[in-house]
């Protein structure tokens, strides 16, 4: 069906996080882990992170952030970016950590399987293959399957251990960024992200690592005896061997030669899927739960400042499945030279991915020096630890980001603006704390009326009118 | 009352898990722990485990699995098997981890104490001593005590820190296997299982371990000043010293010379205890909760395949106390040559104990080689880590097991059969993933209609008719 | 406003837990931590602990317990004691762990900020400055602020990451002891307590520790660029610099020269705040939750024994915010020579702080030797690990303590008395377990009728009549 083209291999083609391929790294990595094992996070120096490894597949690229990085380890997360070409299919897999996916670009279909769910939850949607003679559709319906159409701006949430696949049925490249919460209660293995594929072949040369590290991603069906697979599926031995994909050189994103056509569900089903779930979450099981919420629409913003920008939040109040996986997300848009008020995350780490533009970020921990003070640019990831104070300023092109937070109801404490901590402290306390006059204390509390997002100051904003408009963004 | 017979002592008589007695082991154990402390589980090589230490008591034997074994450590569990002779009494104790007990053989009485419960929950059952002149029963009722009769096939659940004792009032040996969840949220100490006895004497020679390890089980009353105990109980100093059992050489399972007679509760109380609790769990406190569920009855099976076997599950839906301790159990029976479909545990480790028979098990992690491929036999314990794929095949005598799972609502994802992940993936995706035809993809999805348990294939099953019948099992 | 008097500096003035100042300690501390990292708590030898460091401020003293101590690390807690002079203001701060405060002496006002709460929850109370000409109160109300008056015997509970300040508006020194639960689920950083101040200046010399340790407490505003602060608050650069308190030498407890006057709320509001919340906790959010409960009133005692003493408990049943932070507290008063029955904590560690008097405490783990047997005195802290058995005896002056427990519904199992475990075990079991007669077993069960607190035995109590009376205590 699909031929197997020669692939440009990176040094660690399909190594998927395994460290065994960079023997030289071990000597530096271990002491850091050791450091953390002594009960301390090294967080004095934070840095925006780029992916450290790239895996080329037949129809796409997977980029992986180093989960042994201090910041990633301390936050207990792993991150991945997939670029999937049109007609590219990310093969079915599951892993040991809940995850949040943000769709940066393009569109596609996500297929999930929840084997415990009753058959009545089967999806009405069907996939048919373009141009085939296969007109007689099987009378048996596909069961337990859910197909989720997604597009730019969607947040998708998936529990640990749930098998899923992704198909790009659009005309453009599909780009998604994924944050995995490996320190989540639902991961009972160690903190390494482990990917379990149900098809494909990693091609990775197996070498016993000195430190006994497991491989971190391969087709688990390869580990079974083909005779047993044949018996399990009641198929012949040749089909069973196909499941093991031994000679498959396409990687884990494969090209569907003639493409799929996804039968789009009627308007009614769409609306039903999009309906708001009330506070009565009792009836809602994992089987019927929405896993998707779009947060790119400017009208959906939770916080909006006319010349500043906006923030949209998805948490367990508007996407209840997040209660189970204890994650949430925030999408921010800052116009030119605008600012997110200095604030701290009360109950979560924030994993900030820059979608577009650039800006300046300052992060301060329980110290008098910043843990980070510098520029962030499109494509970078920045860990903002729980309770660390942070301020974000947009550059001349504005700044757009998605932050995944390690709490389903993440709360922030702004220092300035109408809902700020400083406004909540009585004038007399501020005056004495900072040794300023009562009049100064009042200015500190009341000069900024804007909530969370601050537009550039009057003098400046006149000169530097934002080049961005809401229309431009979308 | 009971005389103290000479006991056959093992090398580490009553050492109860303490490692201090095998100094030679330290050198290998520490690096493994160190390995795990660096944030990784060593799970490439799994193995069925036998108990590594045996403790002989006056009226029974305690066998203990090595909790420093990589698999046990990674799963965060400890395991014990008690063989209790008729009229044997396992002395009162508690420990720092919730536990699930499975009754392999025999019958008995479990006494539990929930000191926080009101007196109205006192048990109506009473113990009286056979053949004694003690006819004048105390007018004061025993308070806060619950007596639970149990028999083969019962699952018993106990929270951390709850004192309990066991008495074998049957005519045959009583055999139970216990899995302790030391990584449970309810254990705030370290991951070592610690046993606190309220009577008896471990006889263990105290040596300061090089690594400062605590003793792992002794009569805590020995640590108190006898004067203080006398004051606390308002008894004379001689009785206080008896609590410390200094010269008691019977171990922790003692023989009750003349036996107890357990006054069996009337039919009404039995039924009341056995009644199903509805979804309204609000009224149900730890005081009134059932702690017992029998899962040996074939009619109770959740999954049943005529020529294959069956699986029965006890989880927080049918035994609500499991919600508190976040454990569940599954009892499986496979007939000759039948198979449990390859599957993975989505949200739990599975600690599989072989009750009877033998079989072949393959376990595959996120690697292309099996982490285990071999035979399992009666009496062995096998750790199947979360998300690892596993397939089980019965041998010629069939296979029977109990699995304790580290989640009160453990979920599995079968790969084959009617509720499988493969059936939930569209044909077009399977065809492209495995580079097979649409017809092959359909066979892969639909050939096996059976749920979870697969009978031997038609050709084979005719020749090898199962020697087991349901009648035989019970 | 406030002048900056010369302060008596301790060797590690304002070092706040940072270990960098005692380089010599590193060599001993690391192995201990390493020990714990190997998965074991060193708990064979427990000891009452004094604060190991004292920090002198302008208007008070902060004393800190060594959180690297084995017992503190194993229990996963940190502890602090503040002594605040009249008109002393503890500057606003937050930290990475939930905390319980007990007011040992004096009175004051606690200001908290919950930025997520709607404006309708703003406090009606106001602070005005004594003797100022500032009569024209700002027409803008202080928003999101809550002022909590507290006094001796109050327990105050605060979630992680919530900014708060304390002011002593009484005529006497205010003394509070604080226990921070650094191993709480709400702390996603490492187990080090980190203090984030919003004002003040630690004066600490920064040295890069060999082990890369973060500073543990400073004014986070110092880490931001003053230009950015000026922009954030829309104030001039001079005011922004004041926020950084660069030249402030007053420490973190400063003197308010002319004092505040707290406008006391009317009787109605007081009562409303004190009202009992029912079981319907659905409506109750963090915004409206009480954070305070007084447990010094003898009439409030949960357990009372005429010549023995009493115990009062605050847990999530009577202070629902404790459900969120999973802590509770118990205040105990023992009269001369009285005893708390030997018992163990089923599901929590207990951090016992001696408020007054002295006594003898024995603690026994899973060993036959006591982990502690000795005297405790006013001002000491003692960790009683989960499941370890403990007995407390008052000295000639009686004994008074507060215990913070690491569970919002901590449960104890007493060994003696009416609600004891021994009483819950049938006579026949006791007789066989301890090799005593049935008559002795009955005495063991029934001689002590008192619940939890045992008065001195009859013979003794006649001679040593308690010098304490309830009237005396208050």
């Amino acid at each position: 069906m699909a031929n197997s083209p020669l692939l440009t291999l990176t040094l660690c083609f399909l190594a998927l996080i395994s460290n065994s391929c960079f023997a030289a790294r071990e000597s530096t990595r271990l002491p850091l882990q050791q450091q953390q094992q002594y009960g301390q996070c090294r967080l004095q120096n934070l840095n925006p992170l780029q992916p450290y490894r790239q895996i080329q597949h037949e129809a796409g690229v997977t980029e992986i952030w180093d989960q042994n990085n201090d910041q990633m380890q301390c936050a207990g997360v792993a991150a991945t970016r997939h670029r999937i070409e049109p007609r590219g299919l990310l093969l079915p897999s599951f892993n040991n950590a809940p995850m949040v996916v943000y769709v940066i670009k393009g569109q596609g279909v996500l297929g999930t399987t929840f084997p415990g769910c009753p058959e009545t939850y089967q999806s009405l949607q069907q996939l048919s293959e373009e141009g085939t003679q296969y007109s007689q559709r099987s009378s048996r319906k596909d069961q337990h399957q859910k197909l989720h159409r997604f597009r730019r701006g969607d947040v998708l949430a998936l529990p640990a251990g749930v098998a899923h696949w992704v198909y790009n049925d659009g005309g453009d490249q599909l780009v998604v960024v994924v944050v995995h919460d490996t320190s989540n209660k639902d991961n009972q293995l160690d903190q390494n992200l482990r990917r379990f594929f149900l098809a494909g072949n990693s091609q990775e040369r197996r070498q016993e690592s000195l430190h006994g590290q497991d491989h971190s991603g391969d087709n688990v069906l390869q580990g079974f005896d083909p005779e047993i697979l044949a018996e399990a599926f009641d198929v012949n031995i040749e089909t069973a061997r196909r499941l093991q994909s031994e000679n498959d050189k396409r990687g884990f994103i494969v090209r569907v030669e003639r493409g799929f056509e996804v039968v789009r569900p009627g308007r009614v089903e769409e609306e039903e899927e999009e309906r708001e779930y009330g506070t009565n979450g009792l009836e809602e099981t994992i089987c019927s739960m929405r896993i998707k919420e779009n947060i790119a629409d400017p009208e959906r913003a939770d916080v909006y400042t006319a010349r500043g920008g906006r923030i949209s939040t998805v948490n367990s109040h508007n996407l209840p499945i997040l209660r189970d996986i204890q994650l949430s997300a925030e999408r921010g848009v800052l116009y030119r030279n605008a600012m997110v008020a200095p604030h701290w995350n009360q109950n979560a780490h924030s994993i900030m991915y820059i979608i577009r533009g650039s800006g300046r970020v300052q992060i301060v921990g329980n110290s008098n020096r910043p843990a980070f003070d510098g520029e962030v640019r499109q494509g970078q990831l920045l860990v903002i630890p729980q309770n660390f104070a942070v301020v974000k300023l947009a550059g001349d092109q504005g700044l757009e980001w998605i932050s995944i937070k390690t709490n389903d109801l993440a709360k922030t404490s702004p220092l300035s603006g109408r809902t700020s901590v400083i406004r909540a402290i009585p004038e007399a306390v501020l005056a004495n704390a900072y040794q300023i006059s009562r009049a100064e204390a009042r200015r500190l509390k009341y000069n900024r009326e804007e909530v969370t997002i601050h537009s550039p100051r009057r003098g400046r904003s006149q000169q530097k009118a934002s080049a961005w408009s809401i229309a431009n963004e979308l």
Side-chain angles (χ1 to χ4, degrees), chain A residues 249-377:
Chain A
K249 302 200 185 311
R250 300 173 299 167
F252 291 117
I253 303 176
V254 305
R255 180 168 297 117
V256 174
E257 287 306 322
R258 282 168 298 182
F260 298 137
E261 179 198 345
V262 178
V263 177
R264 305 193 184 234
R267 182 129 193 90
V268 174
E269 288 91 355
E270 276 281 13
E271 275 175 12
E272 190 174 29
E273 200 194 5
E274 301 294 338
R275 81 177 183 275
E276 276 307 304
Y277 287 86
T279 51
N280 175 7
L282 296 179
E283 286 300 304
E284 201 163 26
T285 71
I286 195 76
C287 301
S288 58
M289 271 186 173
R290 270 186 312 130
I291 65 163
K292 183 179 85 177
E293 174 85 3
N294 193 285
I295 56 172
D297 184 355
E299 295 194 4
R300 195 199 171 285
D302 303 297
V303 169
Y304 173 69
T305 296
R307 291 173 306 108
R310 64 178 189 275
I311 287 177
S312 303
T313 304
V314 55
N315 59 27
S316 56
H317 287 328
N318 48 36
L319 188 60
I321 197 175
L322 294 173
R323 194 176 305 129
D324 293 319
I325 67 176
Q326 300 191 350
L327 295 170
S328 59
E330 158 201 294
R331 184 173 180 277
V333 174
L334 270 192
Y335 303 148
R336 180 180 185 169
N337 299 329
M339 164 193 283
V340 177
H343 66 278
W344 70 90
N345 290 286
Q346 282 183 41
N347 56 1
H349 300 305
S350 179
I351 319 302
M352 182 194 193
Y353 176 83
I354 313 301
I355 301 172
R356 191 164 123 173
S358 64
R360 181 180 176 195
V361 173
Q362 283 196 314
I363 305 177
V364 187
N366 53 329
S367 160
N368 66 346
R369 293 176 316 155
F372 174 67
D373 182 4
E375 203 199 12
V376 293
R377 301 186 305 278

Side-chain angles (χ1 to χ4, degrees), chain A residues 224-237 240-241 244:
Chain A
F224 287 116
D225 183 338
E227 298 268 4
I228 289 178
L229 291 179
E231 167 112 13
F233 290 98
D234 198 6
V235 295
N236 60 38
I237 191 78
R241 282 195 210 282
Q244 301 188 315

